[in-house]
Short mmCIF file of all heavy atoms in Angstrom, two decimals:
data_model
loop_
_atom_site.label_atom_id
_atom_site.label_comp_id
_atom_site.label_asym_id
_atom_site.label_seq_id
_atom_site.Cartn_x
_atom_site.Cartn_y
_atom_site.Cartn_z
N SER A 1 -71.19 42.90 -9.97
CA SER A 1 -71.00 42.28 -8.66
C SER A 1 -71.11 43.37 -7.61
O SER A 1 -70.32 44.32 -7.61
CB SER A 1 -69.65 41.58 -8.57
OG SER A 1 -69.56 40.54 -9.54
N THR A 2 -72.08 43.25 -6.71
CA THR A 2 -72.34 44.27 -5.72
C THR A 2 -72.31 43.68 -4.31
O THR A 2 -72.19 42.47 -4.12
CB THR A 2 -73.69 44.96 -5.94
OG1 THR A 2 -74.73 44.05 -5.57
CG2 THR A 2 -73.87 45.36 -7.39
N SER A 3 -72.46 44.55 -3.33
CA SER A 3 -72.52 44.13 -1.93
C SER A 3 -73.95 43.94 -1.44
O SER A 3 -74.24 44.12 -0.27
CB SER A 3 -71.79 45.14 -1.05
OG SER A 3 -72.31 46.45 -1.23
N GLY A 4 -74.87 43.60 -2.36
CA GLY A 4 -76.23 43.28 -2.00
C GLY A 4 -77.27 44.30 -2.35
O GLY A 4 -78.44 44.13 -1.97
N PHE A 5 -76.92 45.34 -3.08
CA PHE A 5 -77.88 46.36 -3.48
C PHE A 5 -78.11 46.33 -4.99
O PHE A 5 -77.31 45.74 -5.72
CB PHE A 5 -77.42 47.77 -3.06
CG PHE A 5 -76.09 48.16 -3.62
CD1 PHE A 5 -75.99 48.75 -4.85
CD2 PHE A 5 -74.93 47.95 -2.89
CE1 PHE A 5 -74.78 49.13 -5.38
CE2 PHE A 5 -73.70 48.31 -3.40
CZ PHE A 5 -73.63 48.90 -4.65
N SER A 6 -79.16 46.94 -5.45
CA SER A 6 -79.42 47.08 -6.86
C SER A 6 -79.30 48.56 -7.26
O SER A 6 -79.46 49.44 -6.43
CB SER A 6 -80.82 46.56 -7.22
OG SER A 6 -81.83 47.29 -6.53
N PHE A 7 -79.01 48.79 -8.53
CA PHE A 7 -78.77 50.14 -9.01
C PHE A 7 -80.05 50.82 -9.45
O PHE A 7 -81.01 50.18 -9.86
CB PHE A 7 -77.78 50.11 -10.19
CG PHE A 7 -76.45 49.54 -9.84
CD1 PHE A 7 -76.14 48.22 -10.14
CD2 PHE A 7 -75.50 50.33 -9.21
CE1 PHE A 7 -74.90 47.70 -9.83
CE2 PHE A 7 -74.25 49.80 -8.89
CZ PHE A 7 -73.96 48.49 -9.20
N GLU A 8 -80.05 52.15 -9.37
CA GLU A 8 -81.18 52.92 -9.88
C GLU A 8 -81.19 52.89 -11.40
O GLU A 8 -82.23 52.73 -12.03
CB GLU A 8 -81.13 54.34 -9.36
CG GLU A 8 -82.20 55.25 -9.95
CD GLU A 8 -83.61 54.80 -9.63
OE1 GLU A 8 -83.80 54.16 -8.57
OE2 GLU A 8 -84.51 55.10 -10.43
N THR A 9 -80.03 53.05 -11.99
CA THR A 9 -79.90 53.11 -13.44
C THR A 9 -78.79 52.18 -13.91
O THR A 9 -77.72 52.13 -13.31
CB THR A 9 -79.60 54.54 -13.92
OG1 THR A 9 -80.58 55.43 -13.42
CG2 THR A 9 -79.58 54.60 -15.44
N MET A 10 -79.05 51.45 -14.98
CA MET A 10 -78.02 50.66 -15.65
C MET A 10 -78.19 50.84 -17.15
O MET A 10 -79.28 51.14 -17.64
CB MET A 10 -78.12 49.17 -15.30
CG MET A 10 -77.88 48.85 -13.85
SD MET A 10 -77.78 47.06 -13.52
CE MET A 10 -76.15 46.70 -14.22
N GLY A 11 -77.10 50.66 -17.87
CA GLY A 11 -77.19 50.79 -19.32
C GLY A 11 -75.85 50.79 -20.00
O GLY A 11 -74.88 50.19 -19.50
N TRP A 12 -75.81 51.51 -21.14
CA TRP A 12 -74.63 51.46 -22.00
C TRP A 12 -74.27 52.84 -22.53
O TRP A 12 -75.16 53.63 -22.90
CB TRP A 12 -74.87 50.53 -23.18
CG TRP A 12 -75.12 49.12 -22.78
CD1 TRP A 12 -76.32 48.54 -22.51
CD2 TRP A 12 -74.13 48.12 -22.59
NE1 TRP A 12 -76.15 47.22 -22.16
CE2 TRP A 12 -74.81 46.94 -22.20
CE3 TRP A 12 -72.74 48.09 -22.70
CZ2 TRP A 12 -74.15 45.74 -21.92
CZ3 TRP A 12 -72.08 46.89 -22.43
CH2 TRP A 12 -72.78 45.74 -22.05
N TYR A 13 -72.98 53.12 -22.56
CA TYR A 13 -72.42 54.26 -23.25
C TYR A 13 -71.42 53.74 -24.29
O TYR A 13 -71.04 52.58 -24.27
CB TYR A 13 -71.70 55.19 -22.28
CG TYR A 13 -72.60 56.07 -21.44
CD1 TYR A 13 -73.33 55.53 -20.40
CD2 TYR A 13 -72.70 57.43 -21.69
CE1 TYR A 13 -74.16 56.34 -19.61
CE2 TYR A 13 -73.51 58.24 -20.91
CZ TYR A 13 -74.24 57.69 -19.88
OH TYR A 13 -75.05 58.50 -19.11
N ARG A 14 -71.00 54.62 -25.19
CA ARG A 14 -69.97 54.25 -26.15
C ARG A 14 -69.09 55.46 -26.45
O ARG A 14 -69.52 56.60 -26.31
CB ARG A 14 -70.56 53.70 -27.44
CG ARG A 14 -71.31 54.70 -28.28
CD ARG A 14 -71.98 54.02 -29.48
NE ARG A 14 -72.67 54.95 -30.33
CZ ARG A 14 -73.41 54.61 -31.37
NH1 ARG A 14 -73.56 53.31 -31.68
NH2 ARG A 14 -74.02 55.54 -32.11
N GLN A 15 -67.86 55.18 -26.87
CA GLN A 15 -66.92 56.23 -27.22
C GLN A 15 -66.31 55.91 -28.58
O GLN A 15 -65.42 55.04 -28.67
CB GLN A 15 -65.82 56.37 -26.16
CG GLN A 15 -64.89 57.53 -26.39
CD GLN A 15 -63.99 57.81 -25.20
OE1 GLN A 15 -63.94 57.02 -24.25
NE2 GLN A 15 -63.30 58.92 -25.24
N PRO A 16 -66.75 56.60 -29.63
CA PRO A 16 -66.15 56.40 -30.96
C PRO A 16 -64.72 56.91 -30.97
O PRO A 16 -64.32 57.73 -30.13
CB PRO A 16 -67.04 57.23 -31.88
CG PRO A 16 -68.31 57.44 -31.10
CD PRO A 16 -67.89 57.50 -29.68
N PRO A 17 -63.92 56.47 -31.94
CA PRO A 17 -62.52 56.93 -32.02
C PRO A 17 -62.44 58.45 -32.14
O PRO A 17 -63.11 59.05 -32.98
CB PRO A 17 -61.99 56.26 -33.29
CG PRO A 17 -62.88 55.05 -33.47
CD PRO A 17 -64.22 55.47 -32.97
N GLY A 18 -61.64 59.06 -31.29
CA GLY A 18 -61.44 60.49 -31.34
C GLY A 18 -62.58 61.34 -30.84
O GLY A 18 -62.53 62.57 -30.98
N LYS A 19 -63.61 60.73 -30.26
CA LYS A 19 -64.77 61.47 -29.79
C LYS A 19 -65.03 61.18 -28.31
O LYS A 19 -64.48 60.24 -27.74
CB LYS A 19 -66.00 61.13 -30.62
CG LYS A 19 -65.87 61.48 -32.08
CD LYS A 19 -67.16 61.21 -32.83
CE LYS A 19 -67.03 61.60 -34.30
NZ LYS A 19 -66.75 63.05 -34.46
N GLN A 20 -65.90 62.00 -27.71
CA GLN A 20 -66.21 61.81 -26.30
C GLN A 20 -67.29 60.74 -26.12
O GLN A 20 -68.00 60.39 -27.06
CB GLN A 20 -66.66 63.13 -25.66
CG GLN A 20 -67.92 63.72 -26.24
CD GLN A 20 -68.25 65.06 -25.63
OE1 GLN A 20 -67.40 65.69 -24.99
NE2 GLN A 20 -69.46 65.53 -25.83
N ARG A 21 -67.41 60.27 -24.92
CA ARG A 21 -68.37 59.23 -24.59
C ARG A 21 -69.80 59.74 -24.73
O ARG A 21 -70.10 60.87 -24.36
CB ARG A 21 -68.11 58.76 -23.16
CG ARG A 21 -68.89 57.54 -22.72
CD ARG A 21 -68.31 57.00 -21.42
NE ARG A 21 -68.17 58.05 -20.43
CZ ARG A 21 -67.46 57.94 -19.31
NH1 ARG A 21 -66.80 56.81 -19.04
NH2 ARG A 21 -67.40 58.95 -18.45
N GLU A 22 -70.69 58.88 -25.25
CA GLU A 22 -72.07 59.26 -25.46
C GLU A 22 -73.00 58.15 -24.96
O GLU A 22 -72.66 56.97 -24.96
CB GLU A 22 -72.35 59.52 -26.94
CG GLU A 22 -72.14 58.31 -27.82
CD GLU A 22 -72.26 58.64 -29.30
OE1 GLU A 22 -72.10 59.82 -29.66
OE2 GLU A 22 -72.50 57.70 -30.10
N MET A 23 -74.19 58.55 -24.53
CA MET A 23 -75.18 57.59 -24.05
C MET A 23 -75.76 56.80 -25.20
O MET A 23 -76.05 57.36 -26.26
CB MET A 23 -76.29 58.33 -23.30
CG MET A 23 -77.29 57.42 -22.61
SD MET A 23 -78.67 56.91 -23.70
CE MET A 23 -79.52 58.47 -23.91
N VAL A 24 -75.93 55.50 -25.00
CA VAL A 24 -76.55 54.62 -25.97
C VAL A 24 -77.94 54.21 -25.52
O VAL A 24 -78.92 54.38 -26.27
CB VAL A 24 -75.69 53.38 -26.23
CG1 VAL A 24 -76.38 52.44 -27.21
CG2 VAL A 24 -74.31 53.79 -26.76
N ALA A 25 -78.04 53.64 -24.33
CA ALA A 25 -79.31 53.15 -23.82
C ALA A 25 -79.24 53.05 -22.31
O ALA A 25 -78.22 52.64 -21.76
CB ALA A 25 -79.67 51.79 -24.41
N LEU A 26 -80.34 53.44 -21.62
CA LEU A 26 -80.38 53.40 -20.17
C LEU A 26 -81.70 52.77 -19.71
O LEU A 26 -82.73 52.92 -20.38
CB LEU A 26 -80.25 54.79 -19.56
CG LEU A 26 -78.93 55.52 -19.79
CD1 LEU A 26 -79.00 56.92 -19.23
CD2 LEU A 26 -77.77 54.76 -19.13
N ALA A 27 -81.65 52.11 -18.57
CA ALA A 27 -82.83 51.49 -17.98
C ALA A 27 -82.92 51.86 -16.52
O ALA A 27 -81.97 51.64 -15.75
CB ALA A 27 -82.80 49.97 -18.14
N LYS A 28 -84.06 52.41 -16.10
CA LYS A 28 -84.32 52.65 -14.70
C LYS A 28 -84.71 51.36 -14.00
O LYS A 28 -85.08 50.38 -14.65
CB LYS A 28 -85.43 53.68 -14.52
CG LYS A 28 -85.11 55.05 -15.13
CD LYS A 28 -83.97 55.71 -14.42
CE LYS A 28 -83.72 57.10 -14.98
NZ LYS A 28 -82.59 57.77 -14.31
N ARG A 29 -84.65 51.35 -12.69
CA ARG A 29 -84.86 50.13 -11.92
C ARG A 29 -86.23 49.53 -12.18
O ARG A 29 -86.38 48.30 -12.26
CB ARG A 29 -84.69 50.43 -10.44
CG ARG A 29 -84.87 49.23 -9.54
CD ARG A 29 -84.74 49.64 -8.08
NE ARG A 29 -83.40 50.09 -7.77
CZ ARG A 29 -83.08 50.80 -6.69
NH1 ARG A 29 -84.02 51.17 -5.84
NH2 ARG A 29 -81.83 51.16 -6.49
N TYR A 30 -87.25 50.37 -12.33
CA TYR A 30 -88.61 49.88 -12.43
C TYR A 30 -89.23 50.03 -13.82
O TYR A 30 -90.43 50.23 -13.95
CB TYR A 30 -89.48 50.55 -11.36
CG TYR A 30 -89.01 50.24 -9.97
CD1 TYR A 30 -88.45 51.23 -9.18
CD2 TYR A 30 -89.12 48.95 -9.47
CE1 TYR A 30 -88.00 50.93 -7.90
CE2 TYR A 30 -88.66 48.64 -8.19
CZ TYR A 30 -88.10 49.64 -7.41
OH TYR A 30 -87.65 49.34 -6.15
N GLY A 31 -88.39 49.95 -14.86
CA GLY A 31 -88.91 49.73 -16.19
C GLY A 31 -88.69 50.77 -17.25
O GLY A 31 -88.81 50.45 -18.43
N SER A 32 -88.39 52.01 -16.89
CA SER A 32 -88.22 53.05 -17.90
C SER A 32 -87.00 52.76 -18.76
O SER A 32 -85.96 52.33 -18.26
CB SER A 32 -88.09 54.41 -17.26
OG SER A 32 -89.28 54.77 -16.58
N ARG A 33 -87.12 53.03 -20.05
CA ARG A 33 -86.04 52.81 -21.01
C ARG A 33 -85.90 54.05 -21.88
O ARG A 33 -86.89 54.64 -22.31
CB ARG A 33 -86.33 51.61 -21.91
CG ARG A 33 -86.54 50.30 -21.20
CD ARG A 33 -85.23 49.70 -20.73
NE ARG A 33 -85.41 48.32 -20.33
CZ ARG A 33 -85.80 47.92 -19.11
NH1 ARG A 33 -86.11 48.82 -18.18
NH2 ARG A 33 -85.92 46.63 -18.84
#
């Protein structure tokens, strides 16, 4: 939910038990994955 703008990057991170957060998947606004 935003105030009318779109994000440059959206995606997912995860944090396994006892470990730091890591990148899972990211998508740029215009198609890069």
Side-chain angles (χ1 to χ4, degrees):
S1 298
T2 72
S3 56
F5 58 87
S6 62
F7 299 99
E8 174 62 27
T9 306
M10 297 188 73
W12 298 91
Y13 284 73
R14 68 185 182 186
Q15 186 169 10
K19 299 184 179 298
Q20 63 184 15
R21 188 167 51 194
E22 63 187 21
M23 187 273 292
V24 177
L26 295 175
K28 299 294 184 181
R29 181 182 295 163
Y30 298 112
S32 296
R33 302 283 193 276

